[in-house]
Amino acid sequence: DIVSITLPRIKSETMLNFLSGRGICVSAGSACANNGRHKSGVLAAFGLSDREIDSTLRVSLSAENTEAELDLFLSALREGLSSLVRFK
């Protein structure tokens, strides 16, 4: 399963690096983003603005992921949200 998560006020690359530092691998945007050179047409078709597209993570899960791994991801995501959000 693949889940897209849009994180307002946090660039996806920033959160991606934050999670990577905790051993969690996710992707930015969508799989159809043309190697990062162009905005995702898929996310735009869902009605996301350019800013929202720049704040979207793609998380891939499988039946092999454990509940402990999901808990670790959610904990790291919460930590990132509380420490990385830009106030504007």
Side-chain angles (χ1 to χ4, degrees):
D1 294 321
I2 298 174
V3 177
S4 287
I5 302 171
T6 302
L7 307 168
R9 297 181 294 172
I10 301 175
K11 285 199 166 268
S12 56
E13 291 294 328
T14 302
M15 182 61 86
L16 185 147
N17 290 328
F18 181 88
L19 294 172
S20 178
R22 282 147 182 81
I24 299 168
C25 297
V26 297
S27 300
S30 77
C32 304
N34 294 327
N35 299 321
R37 288 185 214 138
H38 303 285
K39 303 290 184 222
S40 167
V42 172
L43 295 177
F46 278 110
L48 273 65
S49 67
D50 285 350
R51 189 174 192 168
E52 290 169 323
I53 291 169
D54 284 342
S55 297
T56 298
L57 293 178
R58 184 176 73 249
V59 181
S60 299
L61 302 167
S62 78
E64 295 180 20
N65 287 112
T66 65
E67 189 173 330
E69 289 170 329
L70 185 56
D71 287 343
L72 178 67
F73 167 70
L74 293 173
S75 177
L77 186 63
R78 273 191 226 88
E79 181 185 356
L81 286 169
S82 67
S83 64
L84 299 174
V85 169
R86 295 179 303 205
F87 294 95
K88 285 189 178 181

